[in-house]
Amino acid sequence: MALQEKLDRFKKQQEKCQSTLTSIVNRAGATRTPSKPMPLNNPPANARPPVPVKFSNDTERLQHINSIRKAPVGAQMKRVIDLLLETRQALTPEQINEACYVDMNANKAVFDSLAKNPKVHYDGMRFSYKSKHDLKDKNQLLYLIRKFPEGIAVIDLKDAYPTVMEDLQALKGGGQIWLLSNFDSQEDIAYPNDPKVPIKVDDELKQLFRGIELPRDMLDIEKDLQKNGMKPATDTPKRRAAAQVQGISSKPKQKKKKHEISKRTKLTNVHLPELFQNLSSS
């Protein structure tokens, strides 16, 4: 009985060893099996083909940048000022270079000229646009115009803020200001419509300036301004005189009298009496 137990135990050990050897062989075979190489350059089936790089576009851009940086100082300054006017933002030289390709750090003449330009404000780090009058809205615009009873040029206002021209027309339409043309410079002048000053429309000036609204008592207003020590921006007498010189007159032209044949007219075709039956008496 003890011998049989020993034999059974020996068989179990043999089976255990056999299974261990089999598993070892199987693992060794698996490590020796070569794996299939993964495709490295094969794109997925739904992938788009790469777009070829066009070097011509990049070349044109570089040529454009090079032409800007080789332009005269004045042309580069205008480019920067136009950028500042359009954006209304304070920009560093690096931001300006990215936006309009003017490399101010590499061009000292452009940098120094812009820093001293009256249309540009430089705080030591950034450049920004500087208008003649610091205005933000229509109320500030009206307040400024009322401070100039002798008139203020519209050209000094049009860059104050983006919608200033629309606000000027709105103030004119609301009867709060007048927009008149200066004869000397052909520029518009903004006048405050002060309720204390009676303003009417002159038919003569309407005819001369073809529908432009002008005060009838403009000449009196100019005299009052001069009495108060202020120089008006318009000159009505000079404007009227120049209009007369240019041939603009309110008097209608006289029609030339039609020449009629009378008995005093020297006749050459006397042999055709039927032509002279309707002669007017002399």
Side-chain angles (χ1 to χ4, degrees):
M1 193 65 185
L3 180 62
Q4 186 65 36
E5 291 179 355
K6 289 181 180 180
L7 289 174
D8 293 340
R9 191 181 301 168
F10 178 77
K11 288 181 180 179
K12 291 181 179 178
Q13 289 178 349
Q14 290 287 10
E15 293 175 356
K16 186 177 180 180
C17 290
Q18 185 66 32
S19 63
T20 301
L21 290 174
T22 303
S23 62
I24 293 173
V25 171
N26 292 335
R27 285 199 298 270
T31 55
R32 291 194 188 103
T33 303
S35 60
K36 295 182 179 180
M38 295 295 294
L40 299 178
N41 298 326
N42 293 337
N46 58 351
R48 296 180 179 179
V51 179
V53 178
K54 294 183 179 181
F55 293 98
S56 59
N57 295 338
D58 191 61
T59 303
E60 291 178 1
R61 186 179 67 87
L62 294 176
Q63 289 177 349
H64 178 61
I65 295 174
N66 187 49
S67 64
I68 292 174
R69 293 177 178 174
K70 286 187 176 182
V73 173
Q76 297 188 53
M77 288 177 58
K78 183 181 183 304
R79 191 173 181 87
V80 174
I81 293 175
D82 290 344
L83 172 67
L84 298 177
L85 174 61
E86 180 182 358
T87 59
R88 301 281 178 163
Q89 295 179 358
L91 304 176
T92 63
E94 291 76 17
Q95 292 172 328
I96 292 174
N97 185 21
E98 292 178 0
C100 65
Y101 306 123
V102 176
D103 190 0
M104 300 172 59
N105 291 327
N107 195 326
K108 188 175 183 298
V110 175
F111 190 103
D112 294 342
S113 299
L114 282 170
K116 299 176 183 178
N117 192 283
K119 288 290 185 182
V120 177
H121 174 70
Y122 178 58
D123 61 1
M125 294 182 61
R126 293 176 174 83
F127 293 84
S128 59
Y129 187 81
K130 181 173 67 176
S131 58
K132 186 172 183 178
H133 300 284
D134 187 15
L135 305 175
K136 304 299 182 184
D137 52 32
K138 184 168 62 175
N139 293 330
Q140 294 183 5
L141 175 63
L142 179 60
Y143 179 78
L144 176 68
I145 294 175
R146 285 176 174 172
K147 292 171 63 176
F148 291 87
E150 71 277 10
I152 181 172
V154 173
I155 193 173
D156 294 336
L157 301 172
K158 68 178 183 179
D159 62 346
Y161 56 94
T163 60
V164 65
M165 298 304 294
E166 289 83 351
D167 289 345
L168 281 172
Q169 294 299 327
L171 292 173
K172 177 186 175 183
Q176 295 174 290
I177 66 170
W178 291 92
L179 291 179
L180 308 178
S181 296
N182 189 345
F183 181 79
D184 295 330
S185 58
Q186 300 297 326
E187 295 176 354
D188 288 340
I189 307 296
Y191 291 89
N193 189 359
D194 192 345
K196 298 178 182 179
V197 180
I199 297 178
K200 298 180 181 179
V201 177
D202 183 9
D203 294 335
E204 179 184 357
L205 291 180
K206 266 190 172 182
Q207 181 180 1
L208 291 177
F209 292 92
R210 298 176 184 176
I212 297 177
E213 293 183 353
L214 293 173
R216 184 188 175 203
D217 297 330
M218 193 64 200
L219 183 58
D220 296 334
I221 295 174
E222 292 173 356
K223 291 180 180 179
D224 292 339
L225 291 174
Q226 292 173 354
K227 288 179 182 179
N228 295 327
M230 294 179 289
K231 183 180 179 181
T234 56
D235 191 343
T236 301
K238 184 177 181 180
R239 182 164 45 201
R240 290 178 177 177
Q244 292 178 358
V245 170
Q246 294 176 1
I248 304 176
S249 176
S250 58
K251 295 181 180 180
K253 294 182 179 180
Q254 295 181 353
K255 295 183 179 180
K256 293 183 179 180
K257 187 177 180 181
K258 186 177 180 181
H259 182 69
E260 296 180 354
I261 301 176
S262 64
K263 291 182 178 180
R264 296 180 181 178
T265 306
K266 186 177 180 180
L267 303 177
T268 56
N269 297 328
V270 293
H271 60 286
L272 299 173
E274 62 274 8
L275 294 177
F276 313 106
Q277 292 178 358
N278 297 326
L279 290 180
S280 60
S281 60
S282 56

